[in-house]
Amino acid sequence: MCAAFAVYSAVVYTSGTETPHLEPISEPARAGQQVFQEYNCIACHQFYGLGGYMGPDLTNVISKRGPIYARAFIASGSARMPNFKLSEPEISALIEYLTFVDGTGSYPPENYQVNWYGTVVQEDDPQ
Amino acid sequence: MNATTGNVIGIRFMRLGLLALAAGMLFGVIGGFQFLFPEFLQELLFTKTRPLHVSLVIAWIFLAAIGGIYFYLPRRCDLSLSWPSAATLHYWVFLVTGLVILACYVGGRFGGREYLEYPAVLSIPIFLSWIIFGLNYFRTVQKSREPWPVYFWMWGTGIVFFLITFTEAYLWLIPFFRDSMVREIIVQWKSYGALTGSWNMLVYGTAIFVASRISENPGVARSKLAYSLYFLGLFNLMFGWAHHTYLVPSATWIRTFAYAVSMTELLILGKILWDWRASLEEYQVHRYCNAYRFLFAADMWIFVNLILALIISVPAFNLVTHGTHITVAHAMGSTIGINTMILLASVFYVIREELPKSVHAGCSRYVAIGYRTTNISLAVFFAALVVAGLGKGFYDGESFQEMMQSIRPALLVFAVSGIALMVGLWVVIWHAFRLLGLVLSPEPVVGQASLQRDSA
């Protein structure tokens, strides 16, 4: 069983999560990820529904609301979201990162099919 | 080094765990209210209260489970620790690293990964302390002349898989993993799924140990059924994690496979239903024993949680429940309802065995009140989260605020029952902490089989 686990893990790490249609993360987006982690945004937000539930999911915030809207939100906060007083480069990096995340898929899934035995096939799934 | 260092250190781990639980509940309650009133306690933002809560309660689970192992091996299994000073070292590494992590949270220095929200370098002492623990554990149980009871296997498996999955959780530091969002997030949640599986091995092993001792039936831990359930648990630990990531665009087979694996847990559900009558009868016999009572509560919560887990493991249902408070209900049901109840059973088992009845029976009434308050408020808390989750899952508008408004009543019930839950647990924790202190006390309590005296 342990050998099966090792093989399975290796396959998950490689072909199971292969996304040849996507570019790897860029340097500016990577910097944005760092900012996202430093301020622990995941305590309140989610990507693909994973994270804290105090704020909305951010997977597709760029395509749904636009970078200008996201920038304004991050720069000033709201009654419910704290203003972290981020610097201009930090905010730009965050927008780069959110744009990168946006390109990786859609959440909640938009085009999908439910099979009779309960599995779901999504349009975004790499074939 | 005296022969009982291992015993004493086990109790210290447990007491530290109880403190962590008490504090963790407080931050949970504060966080719950911040959910409703974001302006509440701005000095301690939700970015801080959430990791404080999560890390402290996870610390409780590990501390209490590890404490039990350090205590039971020498004291109840006749296997003195092969490396007693390493157990003390383990305790201090845990304590100091834990304090540094808490200070980082309060000071706003984050690693910012879900669950492991402290700066990544602090994982190094944690990892090393588990290596020490693992070496000590395996060298100790190796001395056993009999074939291992199932809980030895479970504890060992928990330790090994902790090391594997904790490492896996940091693979994102390598460019190959973090270059791809899909790969990063899938590997992250693969590791978290199995990490919880690893502590479940430690905790369920403890449950079987305590149950076999209370019922004075060692066969429980050596039966074919016990080993089969262990393998089923291990199988699920390894392959059943993907319900966290059904909605992340990865290869479809990953989720179909995990779905099939998760459904094998139906066997456990069937077993619980099958044993229903016998469990109730056993409850009648042992219900005056605090330890047994907590084990019984854990059984109930296993039943409720398993049903919820099976439902959310069906991808079609997961579509609705994912990213909602139903996930929180599942997490709270298993960490409080199952893990905490089992570990409290373990703590009260130690108390029952180490202190004279006249001492520990004296506070039984308070413990019983705390026990009831905890379980009833947990049931309300759990139900409120499920209702809030359904509200979020079925909301089909575009406005996050409108959705949050619609589930506000359920969140209010959740926050208020959270207070009751905290108070109920505090009552139990206070008595457990105090009684464990008596076990450690150099003044032998009348009639007590004192650890200190043994070491003289």
Side-chain angles (χ1 to χ4, degrees):
Chain A
M1 198 143 86
C2 288
F5 177 67
V7 172
Y8 165 81
S9 298
V11 178
V12 170
Y13 294 167
T14 52
S15 70
T17 50
E18 202 91 294
T19 44
H21 58 298
L22 300 175
E23 289 288 311
I25 193 166
S26 66
E27 263 321 300
R30 172 85 196 109
Q33 180 181 28
Q34 204 115 34
V35 178
F36 194 86
Q37 291 187 186
E38 265 165 38
Y39 288 91
N40 208 14
C41 309
I42 203 74
C44 297
H45 290 290
Q46 314 106 62
F47 290 129
Y48 290 103
L50 299 164
Y53 298 148
M54 198 150 152
D57 188 281
L58 295 179
T59 315
N60 300 126
V61 64
I62 297 296
S63 53
K64 284 190 185 147
R65 315 244 184 226
I68 299 173
Y69 170 93
R71 177 176 280 277
F73 230 107
I74 297 170
S76 346
S78 78
R80 310 183 135 261
M81 158 143 166
N83 177 355
F84 291 97
K85 305 199 172 61
L86 300 179
S87 68
E88 197 46 44
E90 283 178 322
I91 299 177
S92 300
L94 278 171
I95 298 295
E96 285 285 341
Y97 178 52
L98 291 176
T99 309
F100 162 75
V101 174
D102 193 52
T104 62
S106 55
Y107 179 83
E110 276 159 8
N111 296 312
Y112 58 85
Q113 210 186 334
V114 178
N115 291 325
W116 64 268
Y117 50 93
T119 58
V120 177
V121 181
Q122 297 176 43
E123 184 192 53
D124 291 333
D125 290 346
Q127 295 308 315
Chain B
M1 196 55 57
N2 69 47
T4 60
T5 309
N7 305 345
V8 173
I9 207 71
I11 305 274
R12 295 230 163 94
F13 265 97
M14 286 184 167
R15 291 186 95 206
L16 188 61
L18 288 165
L19 289 181
L21 177 63
M25 293 304 294
L26 179 64
F27 290 113
V29 165
I30 297 173
F33 274 89
Q34 287 175 325
F35 234 90
L36 287 164
F37 310 102
E39 61 288 351
F40 176 59
L41 210 66
Q42 280 286 327
E43 298 71 26
L44 200 66
L45 275 182
F46 191 68
T47 44
K48 300 179 178 179
T49 50
R50 184 173 188 257
L52 282 167
H53 167 64
V54 173
S55 296
L56 280 164
V57 293
I58 294 180
W60 143 249
I61 293 175
F62 280 126
L63 284 164
I66 292 169
I69 295 171
Y70 277 141
F71 185 81
Y72 295 136
L73 289 179
R75 188 83 181 162
R76 302 264 148 236
C77 306
D78 267 337
L79 291 169
S80 58
L81 291 182
S82 76
W83 200 10
S85 50
T88 310
L89 178 68
H90 184 186
Y91 177 82
W92 285 105
V93 174
F94 210 121
L95 180 58
V96 173
T97 316
L99 290 175
V100 175
I101 287 177
L102 297 183
C104 285
Y105 290 157
V106 173
R109 291 185 66 91
F110 301 112
R113 304 288 292 179
E114 176 82 339
Y115 301 144
L116 307 173
E117 288 164 274
Y118 50 81
V121 285
L122 290 172
S123 58
I124 296 171
I126 298 180
F127 187 84
L128 293 178
S129 72
W130 277 81
I131 299 254
I132 296 173
F133 177 41
L135 289 175
N136 205 358
Y137 174 78
F138 285 108
R139 282 180 48 181
T140 304
V141 291
Q142 226 176 24
K143 292 188 285 193
S144 169
R145 261 168 272 122
E146 294 169 24
W148 289 2
V150 75
Y151 44 82
F152 279 11
W153 286 104
M154 295 174 85
W155 290 338
T157 306
I159 296 170
V160 170
F161 271 88
F162 178 87
L163 286 166
I164 295 176
T165 55
F166 195 64
T167 310
E168 202 177 30
Y170 285 97
L171 286 179
W172 67 276
L173 292 166
I174 301 171
F176 173 75
F177 290 94
R178 69 168 181 236
D179 275 355
S180 152
M181 167 102 183
V182 169
R183 178 167 294 146
E184 183 188 329
I185 207 163
I186 294 266
V187 172
Q188 179 184 15
W189 287 88
K190 174 180 183 300
S191 82
Y192 291 170
L195 193 62
T196 8
S198 83
W199 85 54
N200 279 332
M201 279 285 169
L202 299 179
V203 174
Y204 288 139
T206 306
I208 295 177
F209 173 83
V210 175
S212 67
R213 297 299 166 119
I214 292 180
S215 62
E216 292 172 13
N217 177 8
V220 169
R222 295 185 184 275
S223 65
K224 275 213 173 69
L225 184 70
Y227 289 104
S228 318
L229 288 176
Y230 159 66
F231 276 110
L232 190 61
L234 184 56
F235 184 58
N236 271 276
L237 176 163
M238 289 174 170
F239 305 112
W241 52 275
H243 51 273
H244 297 289
T245 55
Y246 280 161
L247 299 182
V248 180
S250 60
T252 318
W253 68 263
I254 294 183
R255 67 184 84 111
T256 311
F257 181 55
Y259 171 35
V261 170
S262 303
M263 290 304 121
T264 58
E265 295 197 344
L266 276 167
L267 291 169
I268 303 179
L269 192 68
K271 182 187 173 305
I272 296 175
L273 288 173
W274 188 257
D275 289 348
W276 196 242
R277 263 211 125 71
S279 312
L280 270 184
E281 276 163 19
E282 205 177 327
Y283 177 71
Q284 291 306 327
V285 177
H286 296 294
R287 74 196 145 112
Y288 296 108
C289 163
N290 277 327
Y292 187 80
R293 229 183 302 189
F294 282 103
L295 273 189
F296 183 76
D299 262 1
M300 295 290 174
W301 284 108
I302 288 176
F303 181 68
V304 174
N305 247 290
L306 198 56
I307 293 178
L308 187 65
L310 284 163
I311 293 174
I312 65 180
S313 298
V314 178
F317 297 141
N318 189 273
L319 215 47
V320 176
T321 63
H322 181 72
T324 75
H325 305 77
I326 291 181
T327 315
V328 189
H330 172 55
M332 297 299 107
S334 35
T335 48
I336 307 175
I338 305 175
N339 294 329
T340 298
M341 294 299 155
I342 290 174
L343 294 168
L344 286 172
S346 167
V347 167
F348 280 101
Y349 171 70
V350 170
I351 289 169
R352 185 186 92 164
E353 295 297 299
E354 299 296 327
L355 292 175
K357 190 156 195 275
S358 56
V359 178
H360 65 77
C363 65
S364 269
R365 220 180 107 234
Y366 300 103
V367 174
I369 293 172
Y371 169 85
R372 273 192 212 109
T373 314
T374 303
N375 279 290
I376 294 169
S377 48
L378 180 59
V380 177
F381 183 84
F382 184 89
L385 282 168
V386 171
V387 171
L390 288 174
K392 185 174 180 188
F394 283 111
Y395 174 78
D396 58 1
E398 281 293 310
S399 160
F400 179 75
Q401 278 324 322
E402 189 183 88
M403 181 279 296
M404 284 297 261
Q405 273 305 325
S406 72
I407 63 171
R408 207 174 161 83
L411 291 180
L412 198 63
V413 174
F414 150 78
V416 173
S417 55
I419 298 183
L421 180 57
M422 173 182 75
V423 172
L425 272 177
W426 275 1
V427 172
V428 174
I429 292 168
W430 164 245
H431 287 287
F433 186 80
R434 197 175 56 82
L435 291 169
L436 280 183
L438 290 181
V439 178
L440 284 182
S441 147
E443 301 287 313
V445 182
V446 191
Q448 177 194 357
S450 160
L451 300 181
Q452 309 296 328
R453 215 173 33 212
D454 279 9
S455 67

